[in-house]
Amino acid sequence: MFTTRPTLQGTFGMVSSTHWLASQSAMAVLEGGGNAYDAAVAGAFVLHVVEPHLNGPAGEVPILLAPAGGGVRVLCGQGVAPAGATVAHYRALGLDLVPGTGPLAAAVPGAFDAWMLLLRDHGTKSLDEVLKYAIGYAEHGHAPVENVGATVETVRELFETEWTSSAEVYLPGGRPPRPGALLRNPALAGTWRRLLAETAETAGAGDREARIEAAREVWRTGFVAEALVRQAARPTLDTSGERHTGTLTAADLAAWSASYEAPATYDWNGWTVCKAGPWSQGPALLQQLALLPPELPAYGSADYVHLLIEGCKLAMADREAWYGDAAEVPLGELLAAGYNAERRRLIGDKASYELRPGSPGGLAPRLSTHAYVVATDDPAFNPMGAGEPTVAKRTTSPVPGEPEVGAEGATRGDTCHLDVVDRWGNMVAATPSGGWLQSNPVVPELGFPLGTRLQMTWLEEGLPNSLTPGRRPRTTLTPSIALRDGVPVLAFGTPGGDQQDQWQLHFLLAVALRARVRGGLDLQGAIDAPNWHNDAFPGSFYPRGMRPGSVTVESRMPAGVVEELRRRGHDVTLGDPWSEGRLCAVARDPETGILLAAANPRGMQGYAVGR
């Protein structure tokens, strides 16, 4: 079977991420005696530097970890809505949706504290050791990937006229960053150097855990918190076309911390798949598995693709009706065999153009009144642009950083992902996102912006995902860990907003259903396989539209399959041959101890490393 790269195999350690510098930095930590958690933290802070259009320290991250000999845990790095972020406040401003950019969309930042908690509780290295790679790239520069400059170009006028602190970092010499010229972020390097100096002074340079705790306090109540609060109070032009101040306060920052929780799980065909809970979209992958019939059509056939698309529509309709942190979620009923058998009967031979949430436990579903809005390519639908790329467009998108499907079907942008497995069997999967350069102005004192995750909430009371102070906005970020016979075997994930659990389902089924290579799982073949996504449900990002019946497929998909999908009524868009998915994966064979890794070739920046 042809693959773009081999599935890596070794016994010492494996890393896969969406940028080669993060992968190699994490591998350097493993080579220096660190474990998977040390390596993940180092790699994550490098991702903040080298993929600033896709994530930042003030964004968010769900982390799944499987310590050797222990159970899988979720580390929640998704911050909550500030105390002042009420539906009434936003409605009083004349808003029907939370803006896609600007401080009104900022939740309490979650990523930094989550990485610190992971390092404190599971790592072995010091703050200096894990931050030195990010500091080096921020201070001395790195050669940016093309999409950094392309993203900046889409917001150049905004930076030059409104978000001038961002122009200072991302328009050096008045030009967007370009490949072959070093991009530096001295303010960010200075933030981490000051953090190291202050924590060494207050906690002692040699006390590892005390310094990490001191760093968490600096973030919550020290110079970082002070700068974030000042930024939130600055009137900022956002996607509404107006200037608004945010609701984030010092009290909000001081009160929140990352936390651990049990994963949501589902058993399928000998695998146990672990995801974050229904404050994420993670259970949508579990429900897609629950919706599968006992016997699957032939892998890759039109029947197979049709089944997965239609099952996804049902799971995502339930996501819209039931998932969120503002209400009790009937997850047990949503994953129950009987409920999904009933839902499966809704899948016919033709493509559905309806949004059809179910009634778990006899409960009546309720959706936002905005949930049925149909997205268009007219710039009037989204005149100011939004934050994260989520919905593939048929023409060039007006949304900064959003994927495009044009004449060649090129898709680009969105989030990051990182997986690590070490020689001891520790495993971690994380999907950092938010706080990207096009979300909010760079905080001048810090070198990074606030996030915009509140745009995923609804400005209607009584919904599971209503904007609610102290509650998490439902995130699309959804890393995965899969077990065989109770033993962690596979860590994987992808960027992609609403598309993440669509691409991950196809990947997981490809791993489970297709032949093994060289005695191990065919991770690279599963990543390379032609993929697809549909947008036939409300998007999670401003301006929240849906595209009934839509399916975007890679043009490598066999012509007969595409023709049959169209005959069944799917509104098929042919994308670029390599445009769907940015998957990363690592694995460990529990019988032999052999480690494996693979990474997405699409976009030419994701890499796996290991030995």
Side-chain angles (χ1 to χ4, degrees):
M1 182 184 305
F2 169 79
T3 59
T4 57
R5 307 165 181 175
T7 295
L8 303 186
Q9 296 195 14
T11 56
F12 180 81
M14 291 285 169
V15 181
S16 180
S17 88
T18 49
H19 196 290
W20 63 83
L21 291 179
S23 295
Q24 189 53 46
S25 297
M27 192 67 203
V29 173
L30 293 180
E31 296 284 4
N35 64 21
Y37 309 112
D38 298 313
V41 175
F45 278 86
V46 171
L47 285 174
H48 296 159
V49 179
V50 300
E51 292 194 313
H53 57 313
L54 308 178
N55 79 133
E60 45 275 326
V61 59
I63 304 170
L64 266 64
L65 57 149
V72 177
R73 299 291 288 168
V74 176
L75 177 49
C76 174
Q78 174 57 66
V80 299
T86 64
V87 169
H89 174 66
Y90 286 63
R91 288 288 190 177
L93 296 173
L95 298 171
D96 295 321
L97 293 173
V98 177
T101 60
L104 272 180
V108 176
F112 179 86
D113 196 63
W115 291 118
M116 290 297 100
L117 206 60
L118 182 68
L119 183 65
R120 184 197 72 182
D121 295 343
H122 299 279
T124 64
K125 293 293 186 179
S126 69
L127 271 177
D128 302 75
E129 289 173 302
V130 297
L131 286 177
K132 67 181 182 182
Y133 305 94
I135 291 173
Y137 288 125
E139 191 167 66
H140 304 297
H142 66 97
V145 296
E146 289 183 2
N147 278 343
V148 175
T151 301
V152 173
E153 185 61 51
T154 65
V155 286
R156 178 207 282 263
E157 183 179 352
L158 179 68
F159 282 12
E160 291 175 336
T161 60
E162 295 280 346
W163 297 9
T164 54
S165 60
S166 299
E168 292 178 11
V169 177
Y170 293 111
L171 290 173
R175 298 179 58 183
R178 61 191 188 279
L182 292 176
L183 174 62
R184 297 177 174 87
N185 190 339
L188 178 57
T191 295
W192 300 144
R193 287 200 179 280
R194 182 176 174 184
L195 181 87
L196 292 176
E198 289 194 8
T199 57
E201 181 179 341
T202 59
D207 192 331
R208 194 187 79 89
E209 291 190 15
R211 284 194 70 195
I212 295 169
E213 279 302 297
R216 298 177 73 203
E217 283 306 305
V218 168
W219 182 274
R220 287 199 195 100
T221 63
F223 78 92
V224 174
E226 293 167 359
L228 292 174
V229 171
R230 282 194 299 271
Q231 184 62 46
R234 293 185 177 112
T236 301
L237 183 66
D238 60 36
T239 53
S240 71
E242 303 291 335
R243 291 176 180 83
H244 292 114
T245 57
T247 60
L248 184 68
T249 66
D252 295 317
L253 282 162
W256 185 84
S257 66
S259 58
Y260 295 98
E261 58 188 54
T265 64
Y266 187 78
D267 293 330
W268 176 83
N269 202 27
W271 294 84
T272 299
V273 183
C274 303
K275 302 289 281 187
W279 54 267
S280 76
Q281 73 172 1
L285 174 62
L286 308 183
Q287 191 172 357
Q288 287 178 87
L289 289 171
L291 284 163
L292 295 176
E295 296 293 328
L296 292 179
Y299 174 88
S301 66
D303 287 341
Y304 175 85
V305 177
H306 173 78
L307 174 69
L308 266 58
I309 292 169
E310 294 303 302
C312 174
K313 292 175 184 177
L314 295 174
M316 289 304 217
D318 276 349
R319 182 196 74 166
E320 276 310 308
W322 301 108
Y323 292 15
D325 197 36
E328 192 70 27
V329 179
L331 189 57
E333 289 86 350
L334 287 167
L335 297 180
Y339 175 76
N340 285 287
E342 180 182 341
R343 298 282 280 154
R344 191 183 307 126
R345 286 194 284 271
L346 296 175
I347 299 175
D349 291 334
K350 294 293 186 179
S352 170
Y353 279 61
E354 298 177 70
L355 188 64
R356 300 181 289 180
S359 301
L363 300 170
R366 181 188 160 203
L367 284 82
S368 165
T369 55
H370 194 85
Y372 297 93
V373 170
V374 175
T376 73
D377 296 320
D378 187 343
F381 179 64
N382 183 19
M384 288 293 296
E388 187 182 54
T390 51
V391 180
K393 305 292 189 184
R394 299 176 190 279
T395 57
T396 299
S397 169
V399 180
E402 216 178 45
E404 302 169 358
V405 177
E408 299 299 321
T411 302
R412 63 177 177 83
D414 65 310
T415 288
C416 307
H417 188 79
L418 175 72
D419 300 310
V420 188
V421 61
D422 63 28
R423 54 186 154 156
W424 301 286
N426 300 303
M427 191 175 287
V428 60
T431 310
S433 188
W436 44 77
L437 65 86
Q438 65 272 33
S439 65
N440 258 300
V442 166
V443 183
E445 307 95 318
L446 302 178
F448 58 84
L450 287 163
T452 53
R453 194 59 56 171
L454 292 186
Q455 66 179 289
M456 312 189 109
T457 61
W458 295 114
L459 295 182
E460 298 172 52
E461 301 284 8
L463 299 171
N465 195 31
S466 298
L467 178 64
T468 307
R471 295 289 184 171
R472 294 166 288 192
R474 190 195 68 218
T475 179
T476 54
L477 308 174
T478 174
S480 305
I481 286 181
L483 291 69
R484 293 282 288 181
D485 300 320
V487 179
V489 170
L490 179 63
F492 61 101
T494 179
D498 295 303
Q499 302 160 16
Q500 291 178 34
D501 281 320
Q502 302 184 55
W503 292 334
Q504 290 186 64
L505 175 68
H506 181 44
F507 165 80
L508 178 62
L509 294 180
V511 169
L513 299 175
R514 302 207 313 183
R516 296 160 68 88
V517 292
R518 295 202 304 273
L521 299 173
D522 184 14
L523 302 185
Q524 194 64 52
I527 289 173
D528 289 354
N531 217 322
W532 65 85
H533 81 274
N534 84 90
D535 303 309
F537 49 86
S540 294
F541 294 87
Y542 183 94
R544 311 298 301 272
M546 63 183 289
R547 295 174 181 270
S550 72
V551 179
T552 302
V553 304
E554 291 182 331
S555 58
R556 293 183 295 131
M557 185 174 285
V561 173
V562 174
E563 181 180 354
E564 176 61 17
L565 290 175
R566 285 177 169 156
R567 190 193 68 78
R568 294 181 182 216
H570 296 280
D571 182 10
V572 179
T573 296
L574 285 182
D576 184 85
W578 296 90
S579 58
E580 291 287 319
R582 293 181 66 206
L583 282 145
C584 301
V586 300
R588 181 179 184 273
D589 186 327
E591 294 183 4
T592 65
I594 291 175
L595 310 178
L596 306 98
N600 173 51
R602 301 163 179 87
M604 296 186 292
Q605 68 183 69
Y607 274 88
V609 296
R611 68 175 180 88

